[in-house]
Amino acid sequence: MLSKREVFDGVPEEYLSHKERYENAIRNSVVAFSLVRKMQEEGKTSINNYRDVVGGLLGSSVLRDGSPLGLHYIMFMPAILNQANEEQQEKWLPRAWNCSIIGSYAQTELGHGTFIRGLETTATYDAATKQFVLHSPTLTAYKWWPGGLGQTANYCIVVAQLYTKGQCHGIHSFIIQVRDEETHMPLPGIKIGEIGAKLGLNAVNNGFLGFDNYRIPRTNMLMKHAQVLEDGTYVKSRHSKLNYGAMVFVRVVIVFDMVNYLSKAVTIATRFSAVRRQCQLKAGETECQILDYVTQQHKLFVSIAAAHAFRITANKLWLTFNEVNEQLVEGNLQRLPELHALACCLKAVTTADTAACVERCRLACGGHGYMMSSSLPLTYGLVTAACTYEGENTVLLLQTARFLVKTYQQLDSKALTPTVAYLKTAAAERFCVGWSNTTEGIIRGFQVVAMRVIIMSTFNEEVQEMSRTVSPQLKEVLHQLVDLYCTYWALEKLSDLLLYTPISQKEVESLRLRYEETLTNLRPNAVGLVDAFDLRDEMLQSTLGSYDGRVYERLMEEAMKSPLNAEPMLQSTLGSYDGRVYERLMEEAMKSPLNAEPVNYTFHKYLKPFMQGKL
Ligand SMILES: CCCCCCCCCC/C=C\C/C=C/C(=O)SCCNC(=O)CCNC(=O)[C@H](O)C(C)(C)COP(=O)(O)OP(=O)(O)OC[C@H]1O[C@@H](n2cnc3c(N)ncnc32)[C@H](O)[C@@H]1OP(=O)(O)O
Ligand SMILES: Cc1cc2nc3c(=O)[nH]c(=O)nc-3n(C[C@H](O)[C@H](O)[C@H](O)COP(=O)(O)OP(=O)(O)OC[C@H]3O[C@@H](n4cnc5c(N)ncnc54)[C@H](O)[C@@H]3O)c2cc1C
């Protein structure tokens, strides 16, 4: 077994180079996941219950900034379980389970993350050879983000538009080998590397992946739900969204993840607040614990309550997930929309609340909360990523809203599923005739709010269809900005207005409408308004915000500056702006201290022995 001291003499990660961090991540991961394999051998964990074990490891101090092997467990294996037929599971699961292959999950592309029906990677069936041809037609079609794909995984699940007999059948999943199992070299037709440094999760080794007419056997299409027969005939799935199953699983698991991170952050901040003494409550007294200040309690105690609330919610959601999946196996799809809406809502709410609470915990610790050694900045980097990955929060909340509006519109014609049954009673006028300051009273109040907001949303949908007019004169635009600023804060501080002003419910409703109209009115001038700040690219220093809008080319150019991408060289142009791609790649490669090695040496030192069960 490897000892911690063997690698960097206990040097804290913050002081390691980019390549040393990667080596550290690989080394810690193979040591940690060798434990999982030992537990498998002793029958202490199985393919159906490994979540807690792996989840505990991924949230532990050993893999404190993520792991290049995380996606293997988080999405590669669940995707095989969820979307491969029995024959395919027999072939791939044992090798994935004992880590003799390492996988990732490649869905997001440079050009698309949310709108997955717009993904550009193609998988075209060739009946003559019984193969699929994978291709990235544009730079924006490059897979971008898959965890572990940069230098670690040798297989991945790829989501691509399926074409057969000249017809597109939408996105489907394929299991694809991307690197040679012996040499770890990228296979011919594969362009692969890491995307570069991020705000957090810098041990995850997120990568990019491009295909150049890359061929795979027909049987590498995951065929539990839809199939392509040898002659190219397409057999469609019972439900078009069954292919989205892996995402639902991870959204459910992320809720558990948030419990772990929030518990950690509020433990750190509360204990520190008991130790920290600052200022006197009365002159001449000893300085008091900052935990005694009501303002400090206001910052922290709700996080303690939230951690417990999220744990209860996560367990309930996990039960619902298993119930619905058992029904799916029996062909009953009735509760799938509810599970989707629930997973979307709880993933979005728990990640957003946890990110806000962790930041509040950091602020509650004053300057010491800003130290990396406090672990609060790192924790914030981990949780704020969860607001984006596995479905950007706004988009997921819109999915939940869609489900709730549909449920409202069918209130009288359809039996309600358990989680929305309250809408039936909340619609009745008598439901909330008075306010009681009890837990039940508050819950009933929020049920009425939910009901009324759904009714408003349904109404707004109709209103929005009626009028959209804009006349962009500068004076008018500035008025719109003032209007927006006022209505935004009026809505943000509504509780104060309701408490201290005679604002009526009707006025609040029209305020909301006016706010949305102002957003719409400002939209055509939004870019012009920020151009007016006249911030030069040199000052912005941002791949996303440059004046010329060449976001994707700049993202790729920056990715290529990573020292980890110098091994092995990329084989094809990446659409660089000046076209001097090969000269630039060679210049960059020569800067790498390890460019003599075609494969990152950690493969032979750690990964290969681990994959061969020799660690
Ligand atoms: C194992 C232990 C682990 C422990 C630690 C865990 C820590 C986790 C760390 C993870 C780290 C990183 C991993 C990250 C991975 C990724 O990010 S993978 C990529 C994730 N990407 C997304 O989530 C994309 C988001 N976009 C979408 O999901 C879809 O585009 C969207 C749903 C927004 C829209 O889909 P459309 O096909 O366009 O659908 P639409 O036209 O809007 O119609 C909606 C319709 O479809 C139904 N629907 C949609 N999605 C689903 C679903 N998933 N299941 C069931 N039904 C679905 C929806 O209900 C609507 O139905 P209706 O009846 O028509 O209203
Ligand atoms: C740390 C990290 C790890 C990741 N790991 C993986 C991985 O392993 N595999 C993988 O495939 N992907 C991965 N992803 C990618 C992730 O899934 C996407 O970033 C995510 O789905 C959001 O898509 P996007 O980045 O294209 O953002 P966009 O969808 O472009 O979002 C940008 C903005 O547009 C808004 N927007 C977009 N669509 C709408 C709409 N319909 N209505 C209203 N507003 C909208 C969003 O709300 C957001 O404000 C990872 C991302 C991160 C940050």
Side-chain angles (χ1 to χ4, degrees), residues 139 142 191 550 553 556-557 560 569-589:
L139 174 65
Y142 273 61
K191 293 156 260 182
R550 290 177 55 254
E553 293 80 354
M556 188 55 87
E557 285 156 16
M560 290 318 300
M569 295 275 296
L570 279 167
Q571 309 301 319
S572 76
T573 63
L574 293 175
S576 295
Y577 183 64
D578 57 13
R580 292 180 58 255
V581 175
Y582 295 111
E583 298 83 348
R584 281 149 53 91
L585 274 173
M586 186 55 79
E587 286 155 20
E588 285 306 309

Side-chain angles (χ1 to χ4, degrees), residues 50-51 54-55 58 71 73-75 105 107-108 113-117 239 241 244 247-248 250-251 253-254 257 336-337 340 389-391 395 399 402 406:
Y50 70 88
R51 175 178 60 79
V54 173
L58 289 173
L71 256 290
Y73 291 98
I74 295 164
M75 295 203 78
Y105 182 86
Q107 173 177 297
T108 304
T114 288
F115 185 49
I116 52 181
R117 284 186 292 123
H239 187 298
K241 307 303 179 188
Y244 293 13
M247 292 185 278
V248 180
V250 180
R251 289 168 190 156
V253 168
I254 286 171
D257 221 24
L336 183 59
H340 164 58
Y389 62 58
E390 216 50 65
V395 169
Q399 286 291 306
R402 176 184 175 128
K406 270 189 89 164

Side-chain angles (χ1 to χ4, degrees), residues 71 75 104-115 143-148 198 200-201 204 206 385-386 388-395 398 552:
L71 256 290
M75 295 203 78
S104 180
Y105 182 86
Q107 173 177 297
T108 304
E109 296 172 352
L110 258 176
H112 289 91
T114 288
F115 185 49
K143 295 301 178 185
W144 188 273
W145 279 112
K198 306 182 293 289
L201 286 169
V204 171
N206 298 87
T388 302
Y389 62 58
E390 216 50 65
E392 198 279 329
N393 279 358
T394 307
V395 169
L398 288 169
Y552 304 118

Side-chain angles (χ1 to χ4, degrees), residues 37-169:
R37 184 156 46 197
K38 194 147 183 53
M39 291 175 76
Q40 294 161 11
E41 287 156 8
E42 294 165 3
K44 290 177 181 158
T45 184
S46 80
I47 208 142
N48 295 313
N49 74 359
Y50 70 88
R51 175 178 60 79
D52 296 333
V53 172
V54 173
L57 275 176
L58 289 173
S60 69
S61 58
V62 175
L63 306 172
R64 57 200 295 264
D65 203 18
S67 163
L69 304 188
L71 256 290
H72 177 78
Y73 291 98
I74 295 164
M75 295 203 78
F76 181 69
M77 280 176 42
I80 297 172
L81 281 164
N82 186 283
Q83 294 167 43
N85 62 28
E86 280 187 24
E87 190 184 330
Q88 292 171 324
Q89 291 196 25
E90 275 164 31
K91 175 178 180 183
W92 298 107
L93 269 184
R95 298 199 67 203
W97 186 226
N98 70 17
C99 288
S100 58
I101 60 172
I102 300 287
S104 180
Y105 182 86
Q107 173 177 297
T108 304
E109 296 172 352
L110 258 176
H112 289 91
T114 288
F115 185 49
I116 52 181
R117 284 186 292 123
L119 291 174
E120 295 177 80
T121 302
T122 58
T124 307
Y125 186 64
D126 177 353
T129 61
K130 299 188 182 52
Q131 293 173 318
F132 281 102
V133 182
L134 272 289
H135 190 59
S136 309
T138 59
L139 174 65
T140 48
Y142 273 61
K143 295 301 178 185
W144 188 273
W145 279 112
L149 199 58
Q151 273 76 24
T152 313
N154 50 11
Y155 282 79
C156 73
I157 302 298
V158 173
V159 179
Q161 301 286 359
L162 186 155
Y163 285 82
T164 178
K165 296 187 175 182
Q167 195 185 347
C168 180
H169 294 280

